[in-house]
Amino acid sequence: MRTESSDSAVRTADPTEPPTTLLGTLKHLGPGVIIAGAIVGSGELFATTGTGARVGIGLLWLILLGCAIKVFVQVELGRAAVATGRTTLDLLNRVPGPRVPTGARFSDGTARAVNWVVLLWAAMMLTQLGQVGGLAGGVGQAMHLALPGLGEHGPALWATLAGILTAALLWGGRYRLIQALSAVLVAAFTALTVGNAVALQSTPEFALPTGDLLAGLNPLNDLVDAPDAVFIALAAFGLIGVGATELVAYPYWCLEKGYARFAGVRPNEASAETPAWTARAKGWMRVMRADAFAALVVYTVSTVAFYLIGAAVLHPTGVHPQGSETISALASAYEPVFGKEAGWLFLAGAVAVLYSTLLIATAANARMWADGARVAGWLRDDEGTYRFAVKILSVLLTAISVGLFVFVSSDPVLLVVIGGVAQSLLLPVLGVAALWMRFRVAPPGLRPGAVWTACLFLSVAGLALAGAFGGYTAAMKLIEWLNAAV
């Protein structure tokens, strides 16, 4: 049975020599900025600060590990996209295993089908509607705290306005607009959060001792005294850093940036790679790796800042962010430095970082759903149809997500965590797929060396750990729900 979608992606090319200087490389970064904007909003703001609040500084080492370990799978998925010019879902649909017919057919009459990986991705993506709704709800709550004049329905109204703005921007905006907005929004809140974390060290009451900071980097430290520390640690590990949706989405941004197109006409099953193509592709792979690791630095710094704020301010005072009070509880972390009258600084930053994630997640989800329909054969395989579908889905997905917050659940944290658990379940599958791409998809001239491959295996092991915890969490939640129903 055929597994390919159209070969148009393989033929698309615009040969361009890769940059050879640092400045030239910096000019071609961008997909990582978008991914950083998607990452910093939900897991970091809600989960990471909450982890610091509950366990203190003792899990600092895990926060760093959780950010760093997933980047190797991210780069491997990007490598496959650069090497083939194909989208993530097109590539994932080639992973061996059971397949389900979609009812569509290729032009030669062959039945089309999607495999088990794409089916799992689709199931995970349904939960992301609620997670994005949680982000809209977070924006609504922050705006309501800053401008409470709309009464009890303020959060819902602000969330709705955020959704309308998102749909409008994505209807007319393409890659460059999304990259520019991501850079501005992430820079704004990262600067504020990192500045606050540094400033806290100058306050006698909330400064973290240097010895504790160093001990927090040691996995064997005894600074964690929470009774459910293991549960909290695994939850944080699964939520922080690059999640399943970001792993799948990253190659789409790389393709839109042009990394694969610039490599030129690439080899396929019928032709071998040429030295010229291999040299260009290696050069653009270097740019893509630099982009991924630059994003790693940005979201790791932000994540650590969130964690330190929670550990320094919220943990000693016993403030644990939860439910609809999350934003106001987190705002208290800024009072020691800026004072109560300057709480709007946090709220402005919270709106920036949450809205950046809302915007980017919606843009990425629209692209992935449109491509999923194309891979299944339900959408005509041409660029114009795909772009129009992305516009329609940007509006539709925004409306559904905001509706889930307004009419189904007013707790943004609950919606975000449910989506996070679903992402954790898909992480080990993506890890295995990345290994398959490493050995079966990337041409010999682009395959990484032994050290990188070893790191990739470690990364996959980390994703498996996060996935195991996600499965355990899902089972416990199901049991809890069944007990409540009975």
Side-chain angles (χ1 to χ4, degrees):
M1 180 181 292
R2 287 181 60 183
T3 61
E4 303 91 347
S5 60
S6 170
D7 286 338
S8 59
V10 179
R11 293 192 299 268
T12 302
D14 180 19
T16 304
E17 292 303 315
T20 57
T21 65
L22 176 59
L23 181 59
T25 298
L26 292 175
K27 288 181 178 179
H28 286 90
L29 302 186
V33 173
I34 298 176
I35 291 298
I39 291 170
V40 175
S42 55
E44 277 58 21
L45 180 57
F46 289 138
T48 310
T49 312
T51 301
R54 296 177 69 182
V55 305
I57 195 63
L59 291 181
L60 178 59
W61 64 273
L62 185 71
I63 299 300
L64 291 169
L65 180 63
C67 287
I69 199 170
K70 303 170 188 176
V71 72
F72 297 96
V73 170
Q74 175 189 347
V75 170
E76 209 57 41
L77 295 176
R79 184 195 310 276
V82 172
T84 64
R86 298 184 184 277
T87 63
T88 317
L89 289 178
D90 191 353
L91 291 165
L92 290 177
N93 199 39
R94 298 160 183 267
V95 175
R99 307 181 66 80
V100 175
T102 65
R105 293 184 176 275
F106 289 99
S107 57
D108 62 2
T110 307
R112 302 186 73 140
V114 294
N115 70 355
W116 61 283
V117 181
V118 175
L119 290 175
L120 289 176
W121 165 84
M124 183 270 295
M125 287 297 291
L126 291 176
T127 70
Q128 299 312 295
L129 295 172
Q131 188 173 35
V132 176
L135 295 169
V139 173
Q141 288 182 3
M143 289 298 298
H144 178 63
L145 287 171
L147 301 170
L150 296 178
E152 62 177 326
H153 299 297
L157 292 173
W158 283 116
T160 301
L161 290 174
I164 293 173
L165 177 61
T166 298
L169 287 172
L170 294 182
W171 180 269
R174 284 200 172 190
Y175 176 86
R176 289 185 179 180
L177 175 64
I178 295 170
Q179 178 181 310
L181 288 173
S182 301
V184 172
L185 291 170
V186 172
F189 195 58
T190 299
L192 179 62
T193 304
V194 172
N196 190 31
V198 173
L200 283 174
Q201 288 299 101
S202 65
T203 61
E205 185 178 0
F206 296 103
L208 292 167
T210 302
D212 285 356
L213 288 171
L214 294 176
L217 298 174
N218 180 7
L220 302 179
N221 72 72
D222 57 358
L223 298 176
V224 178
D225 56 4
D228 53 351
V230 174
F231 183 88
I232 297 171
L234 290 174
F237 186 84
L239 284 170
I240 62 177
V242 185
T245 52
E246 288 83 29
L247 287 174
V248 176
Y250 182 68
Y252 286 87
W253 300 122
C254 290
L255 291 174
E256 290 199 29
K257 184 68 175 179
Y259 294 156
R261 187 174 73 252
F262 297 155
V265 178
R266 54 194 50 79
N268 53 31
E269 292 84 353
S271 63
E273 57 183 308
T274 64
W277 178 86
T278 299
R280 279 196 307 271
K282 280 185 174 181
W284 288 110
M285 268 298 306
R286 285 195 296 270
V287 174
M288 190 267 287
R289 281 197 303 270
D291 178 79
F293 278 93
L296 170 65
V297 172
V298 172
Y299 63 71
T300 298
V301 169
S302 300
T303 300
V304 170
F306 279 121
Y307 181 77
L308 293 179
I309 290 170
V313 179
L314 301 182
H315 181 65
T317 58
V319 176
H320 296 166
Q322 59 184 344
S324 60
E325 302 301 319
T326 298
I327 298 297
S328 59
L330 291 175
S332 68
Y334 285 73
E335 293 177 3
V337 175
F338 298 111
K340 291 185 177 181
E341 67 281 359
W344 64 268
L345 286 173
F346 169 80
L347 296 176
V351 169
V353 74
L354 287 169
Y355 185 73
S356 73
T357 309
L358 170 65
L359 179 73
I360 296 165
T362 304
N365 292 348
R367 283 160 171 77
M368 289 186 285
W369 277 117
D371 190 48
R374 185 164 61 178
V375 169
W378 300 333
L379 189 70
R380 193 169 61 190
D381 192 4
D382 66 77
E383 189 66 14
T385 301
Y386 169 75
R387 288 294 174 190
F388 184 70
V390 168
K391 288 185 175 185
I392 295 296
L393 285 167
S394 296
V395 176
L396 180 61
L397 295 177
T398 301
I400 294 173
S401 296
V402 173
L404 287 173
F405 169 74
V406 173
F407 299 109
V408 178
S409 175
S410 61
D411 184 350
V413 179
L414 176 63
L415 293 172
V416 168
V417 169
I418 290 174
V421 169
Q423 289 201 60
S424 295
L425 291 171
L426 190 63
L427 284 174
V429 176
L430 293 177
V432 172
L435 285 174
W436 177 79
M437 292 179 193
R438 154 65 180 86
F439 290 101
R440 299 299 299 273
V441 173
L446 291 189
R447 290 174 186 170
V451 174
W452 181 275
T453 302
C455 291
L456 177 61
F457 273 101
L458 289 175
S459 183
V460 173
L463 298 188
L465 177 64
F469 170 75
Y472 170 79
T473 301
M476 292 300 100
K477 292 293 183 183
L478 178 61
I479 293 172
E480 182 181 331
W481 181 82
L482 291 174
N483 289 337
V486 173

